[in-house]
Amino acid sequence: MKQRLIALSVAASLGALPAAPALAQARVSDGVVRIGVLTDLSGTYSDLSGQGSVVATKMAVEDFIAADKPAFKIEVLSADHQNKGDIASNKAREWFEKDGVDMVTDLVTTSTALAVMKIAKEKNRIAIVNGAASTRITNEDCNDVSVHYTYDTYALANGTGRAVVKQGGKSWFFITADYAFGHSLEKDTSDVVKAAGGSVLGSVRHPFPGNDFSSFLLNAQSSGAQVIGLANAGNDTINSIKQAAEFGITPKQTLAGLLMFITDIHSLGLKTAQNMYLTEGFYWDLNEQTRAWSKRFFDRHKRMPTMVQAGQYSSTMHYLKAVKATGSDDTAVVMARMKKTPINDFFATKGQIRDDGRMVHDMYLLQVKKPAESKYPWDYYNVRATIPGNEAFQPLSASRCPLIRK
Amino acid sequence: MEIFGVSLQGLAGQLLIGLINGSFYAVLSLGLAVIFGQLNIINFAHGALYMMGAFLAWIGLTHFGINYWAALLLVPLLIGLLGIVIERALLRWLYQLDHLYGLLLTFGLALIIEGLFRYYFGISGESYEAPEALRGGVDLGFMFLPLYRGWVVVASLVVCLATWFIIERTKLGAYLRAGTENPKLVQALGINVPLMITLTYGFGVALAGFAGVLAAPILQVNPLMGSNLIIVVFAVVVIGGMGSILGSIVTGLGLGLVEALTRVVYPEASAVVIFVIMVIVLLVRPAGLFGREN
């Protein structure tokens, strides 16, 4: 403890100076930085995160070693949390206690993220959440060792909800997955819709995972709402969209997918998904930088990256740079550095991690292209708007995070 | 006029959807019932084979240009052949043992098959379009019925009734039933019982493949589509009475309707209602609604 305190004070006093490599080696515990990618390797979310997230993390490590030539070694571990909180927390505990893991990342469902954040706090290690969506991560359950990096339900609701109301979709009906994430997405979107002058005519909650959505779609149809908001994810969303087309609901009523990833669009096909609005934190075809990185990712993974996988690379790189700059893998030191340093890479411009752990960066309002507009593989979106970070995410003034003193 | 706060028209629409889902339950549970009735095997691989049926239809269309109608015939044949291989190579060693061994073996098979498909195709799955002739729909006044859904009901009912007829009303069916009751005696009469059992298993899983092709245009074709459904289908079989052909058909359709009504009254409970009924049936009539008490 005493040693750590001394190390801390030295680190603090040297914080402003570029760290000497010799010192750095001395202060990274056992000379190795270990990153644990805890993700869904086999279940519903394994396409949007999963093996792709492991690949992105390894790319970040390789690129970092090539460019920065750190004095410490870096190891990447990975495991399947099967989207279950207890499995995730057991694995995280084992990694922290036995394997000396410094940072756990990805964490695809809210339950796994919250469970691991709690253990990280207890063991004083870092958790960087890229997969999970709930705003609880940076509100009620926030802590000072966790970062929520890629997106959250607030930003998605805000982007898609507001844009669709602006386009004239004033009346809404929700088809909601009946668990915490679905409820939170429905609530966040309803608030946005009402604030923008729209109205919510009703909602129906379906069991998770669902299979046949036709009866719920029939309810949505008879509500007469202009917009049907899909507050679900993964295969539930895909099947809802497919069956809405089958029952002639689209294009008479508009669908708004509130949590969709490019892998969902890929498997649905443009013919079924065309014209839908959605919000993402990243699209591979935004500019030269995003294309260059994404093509490298594609070469290794045979699929274009989702925002989660891109965020995985960016956050890992940001973490490693903070370790190098401070010459330490101490949680408080690295967290302070990560929060102080803005993020500028292919994923984010002027990204900033706030005190509640929220990484604030621009989000993109996207519309799915018509089949005829798509010129090459994975050419799926028209970018309709760039939503500046400070508008996309919940403002700190509305935060329910106990760390934020108002 | 309103019932449960839903207009009569809305209710009619929901019930029709229940019937459509019920016909899937019927075809799948029928296959399970045939297999259990003749082989005493609880075939947990049924969901995985249903998923394979859907994937084979998709692979056929995208890689070999085999259209839907051809797939509807070819895929059940292929799945049936695979079933025959599974029966000859694996299941036949287990007939002397407890049911549990068959269940564990087929469950393991299901995990392997699903794992392989997940590895090759990813989890988000693939889209399969309905055939040209069955796109669009008809306005029934109370709802818009996609033509394809109408076709699903007709095709499943025809297959179910034909199966029931063959097993309960023909000479071949009589041999099958006799073979289950007393295999030694039937064999002594010069009938090849092991061959009959092999073909029965092939036929049972071919029904799963058939249901898979039927489902492909409605549901996203993905590796877990079978495991989401199989538990419900097992509940249907238990309620109908293990091994009862008519029981599985009637119960499949009936439970589809019950599920639809639940979705009108309290949608959150629609995934649970079938299991609640299962518990009640097991308490009151342990052999199931149509089963014979031993």
Side-chain angles (χ1 to χ4, degrees):
Chain A
M1 189 67 207
K2 205 171 176 188
Q3 258 183 334
R4 180 166 274 186
L5 270 179
I6 295 168
L8 253 179
S9 53
V10 173
S13 59
L14 288 177
L17 301 170
L23 272 176
Q25 193 167 21
R27 272 178 282 134
V28 167
S29 55
D30 67 16
V32 184
V33 170
R34 290 189 188 85
I35 298 169
V37 185
L38 198 48
T39 184
D40 176 4
L41 288 173
S42 56
T44 323
Y45 305 121
S46 52
D47 276 358
L48 67 91
S49 57
Q51 200 53 45
S53 285
V54 179
V55 168
T57 312
K58 287 186 175 155
M59 280 172 70
V61 170
E62 287 162 19
D63 290 355
F64 175 76
I65 291 174
D68 288 63
K69 308 205 168 36
F72 49 86
K73 278 169 110 178
I74 306 164
E75 282 176 16
V76 176
L77 293 79
S78 62
D80 188 356
H81 61 36
Q82 297 174 36
N83 303 330
K84 293 187 178 105
D86 54 335
I87 294 181
S89 51
N90 285 340
K91 193 72 209 177
R93 196 177 283 279
E94 183 191 317
W95 274 353
F96 291 146
E97 286 176 357
K98 277 171 59 188
D99 302 318
V101 166
D102 299 290
M103 185 268 272
V104 169
T105 180
D106 213 25
L107 305 166
V108 191
T109 49
T110 302
S111 55
T112 58
L114 294 178
V116 170
M117 283 164 64
K118 223 165 126 189
I119 311 246
K121 176 69 191 159
E122 185 190 318
K123 299 285 167 197
N124 194 31
R125 306 288 166 86
I126 295 176
I128 300 180
V129 181
N130 277 309
S134 170
T135 40
R136 275 177 60 185
I137 294 165
T138 52
N139 283 283
E140 292 84 356
D141 298 282
C142 75
N143 65 35
D144 57 356
V145 299
S146 305
V147 176
H148 198 186
Y149 199 86
T150 303
Y151 73 108
D152 60 25
T153 50
Y154 184 96
L156 299 178
N158 204 14
T160 312
R162 200 186 298 235
V164 172
V165 175
K166 215 187 257 175
Q167 302 277 332
K170 298 267 184 210
S171 57
W172 284 60
F173 186 95
F174 288 98
I175 294 181
T176 305
D178 192 19
Y179 66 108
F181 147 77
H183 298 177
S184 130
L185 193 52
E186 181 192 324
K187 191 196 159 291
D188 287 346
T189 316
S190 297
D191 292 348
V192 170
V193 166
K194 284 177 199 156
S199 62
V200 177
L201 302 182
S203 71
V204 61
R205 292 186 169 169
H206 69 76
F208 167 78
N211 213 345
D212 186 63
F213 290 86
S214 39
S215 39
F216 308 118
L217 286 163
L218 225 56
N219 286 343
Q221 192 175 31
S222 58
S223 76
Q226 292 168 302
V227 183
I228 301 171
L230 303 174
N232 48 21
N235 278 313
D236 287 349
T237 311
I238 290 178
N239 276 327
S240 308
I241 295 170
K242 223 174 126 99
Q243 291 164 14
E246 191 195 349
F247 276 82
I249 291 173
T250 43
K252 281 181 214 148
Q253 286 163 294
T254 310
L255 288 184
L258 300 173
L259 176 53
M260 293 198 72
F261 297 87
I262 195 164
T263 41
D264 297 330
I265 305 294
H266 182 70
S267 70
L268 263 172
L270 292 183
K271 195 170 165 223
T272 317
Q274 59 181 313
N275 297 328
M276 278 187 70
Y277 281 99
L278 67 155
T279 304
E280 289 216 54
F282 176 80
Y283 174 42
W284 73 271
D285 204 6
L286 286 170
N287 55 48
E288 274 315 310
Q289 253 188 313
T290 58
R291 277 189 285 273
W293 181 79
S294 303
K295 282 182 178 150
R296 280 177 53 214
F297 179 86
F298 185 89
D299 288 339
R300 288 176 68 155
H301 191 56
K302 304 299 162 218
R303 282 171 171 242
M304 280 299 176
T306 61
M307 62 170 157
V308 172
Q309 291 153 348
Q312 188 63 24
Y313 177 100
S314 170
S315 59
T316 305
M317 189 60 105
H318 188 58
Y319 167 80
L320 288 172
K321 283 184 171 161
V323 172
K324 175 148 196 260
T326 56
S328 164
D329 60 359
D330 181 85
T331 296
V333 176
V334 176
M335 281 299 288
R337 178 75 195 192
M338 281 171 66
K339 285 180 177 170
K340 213 175 74 184
T341 322
I343 299 149
N344 283 302
D345 59 9
F346 72 96
F347 178 79
T349 25
K350 292 191 199 145
Q352 194 78 48
I353 300 170
R354 296 191 309 212
D355 285 340
D356 58 351
R358 177 70 257 160
M359 202 284 265
V360 175
H361 59 99
D362 295 351
M363 298 287 288
Y364 305 94
L365 176 70
L366 309 161
Q367 190 174 20
V368 179
K369 287 188 170 176
K370 295 183 177 61
E373 292 174 303
S374 174
K375 303 280 180 256
Y376 37 87
W378 297 85
D379 178 19
Y380 291 159
Y381 297 147
N382 282 313
V383 181
R384 292 300 179 210
T386 301
I387 309 160
N390 53 9
E391 286 175 29
F393 290 94
Q394 183 191 43
L396 264 188
S397 56
S399 175
R400 301 180 297 280
C401 170
L403 295 172
I404 304 300
R405 291 209 190 85
K406 288 176 212 166
Chain B
M1 191 181 151
E2 288 201 350
I3 300 173
F4 306 129
V6 187
S7 70
L8 205 57
Q9 293 193 331
L11 193 66
Q14 297 290 359
L15 287 178
L16 185 56
I17 285 175
L19 194 67
I20 298 166
N21 288 335
S23 47
F24 272 111
Y25 294 158
V27 177
L28 283 169
S29 59
L30 178 64
L32 283 178
V34 169
I35 292 169
F36 185 78
Q38 315 298 326
L39 284 80
N40 276 340
I41 291 276
I42 300 170
N43 185 32
F44 242 87
H46 217 65
L49 293 166
Y50 155 83
M51 176 273 290
M52 262 185 94
F55 260 106
L56 285 184
W58 179 82
I59 293 169
L61 185 71
T62 42
H63 295 293
F64 303 102
I66 298 168
N67 72 18
Y68 173 82
W69 304 105
L72 212 49
L73 282 175
L74 270 178
V75 169
L77 277 178
L78 283 174
I79 300 282
L81 279 177
L82 178 69
I84 287 173
V85 172
I86 292 173
E87 199 277 339
R88 281 289 85 192
L90 302 168
L91 290 176
R92 70 182 174 120
W93 307 105
L94 301 178
Y95 295 139
Q96 311 308 324
L97 300 171
D98 193 75
H99 292 335
L100 200 58
Y101 290 90
L103 184 151
L104 287 175
L105 182 105
T106 50
F107 184 56
L109 267 181
L111 292 181
I112 293 170
I113 295 172
E114 279 173 4
L116 286 174
F117 274 80
R118 196 167 53 209
Y119 180 77
Y120 284 106
F121 297 97
I123 204 80
S124 318
E126 307 289 349
S127 271
Y128 187 90
E129 273 202 73
E132 197 78 53
L134 294 175
R135 283 181 210 163
V138 278
D139 198 343
L140 299 178
F142 58 90
M143 76 174 283
F144 175 88
L145 176 70
L147 279 181
Y148 188 80
R149 300 261 176 164
W151 156 249
V152 165
V153 176
V154 175
S156 341
L157 285 183
V158 168
V159 167
C160 285
L161 291 178
T163 308
W164 172 81
F165 185 80
I166 291 170
I167 293 183
E168 301 287 343
R169 291 285 182 270
T170 63
K171 205 168 176 185
L172 176 67
Y175 287 152
L176 276 173
R177 281 176 289 135
T180 325
E181 290 290 322
N182 194 338
K184 282 205 178 116
L185 191 66
V186 177
Q187 188 119 30
L189 294 173
I191 292 160
N192 188 345
V193 173
L195 178 71
M196 235 162 49
I197 287 181
T198 307
L199 291 179
T200 307
Y201 187 78
F203 176 73
V205 300
L207 282 176
F210 177 76
V213 183
L214 273 188
I218 295 183
L219 301 172
Q220 184 77 356
V221 179
N222 83 61
L224 296 183
M225 65 191 285
S227 60
N228 292 341
L229 201 58
I230 191 71
I231 303 293
V232 176
V233 175
F234 264 108
V236 172
V237 176
V238 171
I239 296 169
M242 296 292 293
S244 162
I245 308 289
L246 192 63
S248 65
I249 301 173
V250 174
T251 319
L253 292 172
L255 288 178
L257 291 176
V258 170
E259 207 180 45
L261 276 179
T262 318
R263 283 182 178 170
V264 174
V265 184
Y266 187 60
E268 285 90 335
S270 59
V272 189
V273 67
I274 288 182
F275 299 101
V276 174
I277 295 177
M278 182 178 87
V279 170
I280 297 171
V281 168
L282 282 178
L283 287 174
V284 181
R285 264 186 77 93
L289 296 177
F290 294 79
R292 278 175 302 166
E293 308 272 352
N294 284 333

